[in-house]
Amino acid sequence: MNPQAIPEEGRPTVKATVSRPSRGPVIDFSPEASCFDIEGLSLAYGDSPALEALTLRVPRHCVTAFIGPSGCGKSTLLRALNRLHDLDETVSHAGRIRLEGQDIHAPEVAVDDLRRRVGMVFQTPNPFPMSIYDNVAFGLRLRGVLTRRRRDDIVEWALTAAALWHEVKDRLRESAWSLSGGQQQRLVIARTLAVEPEVLLLDEPASALDPISTLKIEDLIRSLKGQLTLILVTHNMQQAARVSDYTAFLQQGRLVEYAPTDTLFTNPRLARTENYITGRMA
Amino acid sequence: MSRLWARRRAAGEGAGAWLAAGSVALSLLLLGSLLTLLAVRGLGHFWPASVALVELDDGRQLAGWTVRELPLPESEGRERLYFTGNRDRDGDVWEWLPVARIAAQTYPPELVVLERRRWGTFIGRLVAVEPGPETPGWESETAAPGDTAWARLAARLAALERLREARETLERETIRPLVRRLEADPEDTAARRALAAASERVAHLRAAMDETTLVLESVDGRRFRQPLVEVLAATRPNALSPLGKLVAWGRGLWRFLSEGPRAANSAGGVWPAIFGTVLMVLLMSLLVTPFGVLAAFYLNEVAHQGRLTRLVRIAVRNLAGVPSIVYGVFGLGVFVYGIGGTLDDWFFEDRLPSPTFGTGGLLWASLTLALLTLPVVIVATEEGLARIPAHQREGALALGATRLEMLSRVVLPMAVPAMLTGVILAVARAAGEVAPLMLVGVAKLAPQIPVDGDFPFLHLDRKFMHLGYHVYDSAFHGDDVQAAMPLVFATALLLVLVILVLNLTAIFLRHHVRTRHAALSRQ
Ligand SMILES: Nc1ncnc2c1ncn2[C@@H]1O[C@H](COP(=O)(O)OP(=O)(O)O)[C@@H](O)[C@H]1O
Ligand SMILES: [Mg+2]
């Protein structure tokens, strides 16, 4: 939790920039290698603080997992990254979030542009009450992709990327609500991919799904990480271990430990982290 | 015993369950008996009743059908009420007779029942059908046997019907366009000439219709002449087979549904009232839906959820409890006198002092009822909006939708079933409302329906008839309430059915919207 103490020499690739500080629980990436650069972020719902002086950088084109006990502020942090808190007048925040070097709260940043760049998938699958096709095309229509051919192509591409195309290609005109929960969640991912975001935020995307659907989502996450930055919130330690490259452990609105996933799970530096992981693993 | 009781209670069959089931059964029973009463008393009226020829102990004869029978006060016997018709001869259509005085009662097949435009029902015998009043020596034809006269009457009635249609077609397709041409250009001599020719043809047709006269005889032997044009329908109920009666019943019912009222609303049909009711409810729905939905969206999605919004919400809910006559007064003051009067001053000055919009009419009545039902639509839509899960809205926002796009593309479609629920409730409330209408535009008699072929086709300034008001008017303000009673029941039944059909339409629409997303109820 002491960013000043961490060397910040910029290096060209993500792997190479992983520097392990001699002391402290936190790794760091150079600003060039990071997608999100969060600096001293504090956030409160009314009077009750949810995040406190959070500082971390999220590497580009990797999967970063946020873990921590329920209510520790994982969702809050995720929602801060695409400014979903803007809707809630009671939320106040301090600190800075940079996306590719630009402050996301800067006046010249249009919030709908930001949200298009930073897609989000929620815990409950939330397809709109429209056909499967219209769900995927929703963001495209907003963006003004109006030629039918182009839209069809993108819809097919997005559904293929979300590993759903073969299951739905013959029923694109059916209601999205006729799909199973796992299919709905992949549809939501496809819908988000269709607007070609740079970042995909996933808030416990598999917690409402059966084991087989969960595995499909995990495969999907792995297959996407070359193309975009993924941030995954999960309660499931095995899942974090299976799919993420880096893991951040949060507790009571603070960042406790942030390390490459295999290090954090096999050799955590702090007893708090170890207790939490072993408790959850058992 | 007590253990059995305990087990039953455990199985959810306690007294509460019985009470609840009993309440449901009672409500259904009440509803069923209400509809049965309306149906029996109302629809029974169109069944051609057998006409009795009654001979009294003093030799007097009369013809009619039994309406009801009551025990005589302070004596053993009973008393029967007959409907005897012939108001023009007897001055009255009812006759109370002590049963003891009836010497004989028969049902001769030759008795005819005529329905006439003036004077109502005739019951008696048909003596002859006369070609024309000027024809000399009509007395000699009275010897013609009844059956041939009946056949000629039937033929003449059919011919009369054809003449009427010809006249109406002529008026609709020739005369009215000509009149409109003349209004546009009073100098159009060709049109004027064509109009004169057409009017002459109409006069000719009318004269042809006037030609035939019937010679009728009441059962006590009084004869009189009756112009055939006045006759609307003729039956011989006693000569009808059951199937024939059924046909006559259907025909009577159809005329009730398709014709305008007669005899100060105590006879005839209710078509203008059906049309007026449905049209007004449709207009009301068209007016209330956008306003209600916009207001609900504002309250739920746009307004800051503070104390003021809460206050407004409470006020809206309380508006639903304001008595409807208060809305009528408001409509009269604001819509009719305020807005309507101003419209007249600005646009219809040439017609003053006779008002155009400054008097009750279809538009003001629809607006008043829209105001009356606004809270219902707002509350239902707001409840629907509140039920839409937050993650649906966030899903749209997370895709880069603006607030407006989120509202219009995700929230609005999802709120449609709730909106339609609001409209259903609004229709249910508005269609049965009579009190405010009396102040803002309903008419006792407006045989011209507010839609026709004249520009602008829908006449929002016209007064209109309404089934609910028709019930009230014919039940209390006719000159023969007794005779109008069956029609009151039939009209009331019709009102219930019309509301039912309107509601079913809205429910069907909502169902259609819902099934487009079959799994909606799972969510
Ligand atoms: N909309 C909200 N209003 C007020 N408090 C909230 C709201 N959302 C979350 N919180 C509080 O903020 C804290 C962090 O919540 P959250 O980010 O949802 O935790 P997590 O996702 O890690 O379980 C919790 O104490 C929670 O009660
Ligand atoms: Mg959460």
Side-chain angles (χ1 to χ4, degrees), chain B residues 442-474:
Chain B
V442 85
K444 176 186 171 70
L445 190 66
Q448 236 184 335
I449 56 176
V451 172
D452 59 25
D454 292 339
F455 184 81
F457 311 118
L458 172 62
H459 301 274
L460 291 174
D461 55 324
R462 270 194 205 158
K463 289 196 185 288
F464 63 101
M465 292 183 71
H466 186 274
L467 283 170
Y469 184 70
H470 194 76
V471 168
Y472 168 73
D473 184 66
S474 45

Side-chain angles (χ1 to χ4, degrees), chain A residues 79 115 126-127 129-130 175 177, chain B residues 304 391-392 394 397-398 517 519:
Chain A
R79 295 160 65 87
R115 293 198 184 123
N126 59 350
M130 326 167 169
S175 165
W177 287 0
Chain B
H304 175 79
H391 59 71
Q392 288 284 349
E394 289 177 344
L397 292 175
H517 294 286

Side-chain angles (χ1 to χ4, degrees), chain A residues 79 84 87 89 112 115-116 118 120 122 124 126-131 138 141-142 175 177-178 184 191-192, chain B residues 304-305 391-392 394-403 405 409-410 414 516-520 522-523:
Chain A
R79 295 160 65 87
L84 267 185
L87 292 182
E89 293 151 6
D112 37 320
R115 293 198 184 123
R116 212 166 285 143
V118 184
M120 181 153 184
F122 300 82
T124 340
N126 59 350
F128 303 134
M130 326 167 169
S131 70
F138 186 87
R141 292 200 168 108
L142 292 181
S175 165
W177 287 0
S178 64
Q184 288 190 9
R191 180 175 82 184
T192 312
Chain B
H304 175 79
Q305 298 297 316
H391 59 71
Q392 288 284 349
E394 289 177 344
L397 292 175
L399 285 172
T402 60
R403 252 183 97 72
E405 285 165 339
R409 298 190 190 204
V410 174
M414 287 185 81
R516 277 221 314 257
H517 294 286
L520 189 112
R522 270 202 282 137
Q523 289 260 321

Side-chain angles (χ1 to χ4, degrees), chain B residues 69-80 96-100:
Chain B
E69 194 176 297
L70 295 174
L72 271 172
E74 295 155 26
S75 76
E76 289 288 283
R78 298 175 72 77
E79 197 180 28
R80 228 179 248 168
W96 281 104
L97 292 177
V99 176

Side-chain angles (χ1 to χ4, degrees), chain B residues 174-175 177-179 181-182 185-199:
Chain B
T174 313
I175 295 189
L178 283 174
V179 168
R181 254 174 71 187
L182 273 178
D185 176 17
E187 309 295 303
D188 193 340
T189 45
R192 195 170 294 275
R193 230 175 297 126
L195 183 63
S199 307

Side-chain angles (χ1 to χ4, degrees), chain A residues 74-75 123 203-204 233:
Chain A
K74 305 180 297 289
S75 301
Q123 183 171 358
D203 191 353
E204 303 187 33
V233 165

Side-chain angles (χ1 to χ4, degrees), chain A residues 157-174:
Chain A
W157 167 81
L159 283 169
T160 311
L164 192 60
W165 176 251
H166 289 290
E167 290 160 62
V168 301
K169 64 170 186 274
D170 299 322
R171 43 193 289 209
L172 290 174
R173 295 284 156 208
E174 280 176 37

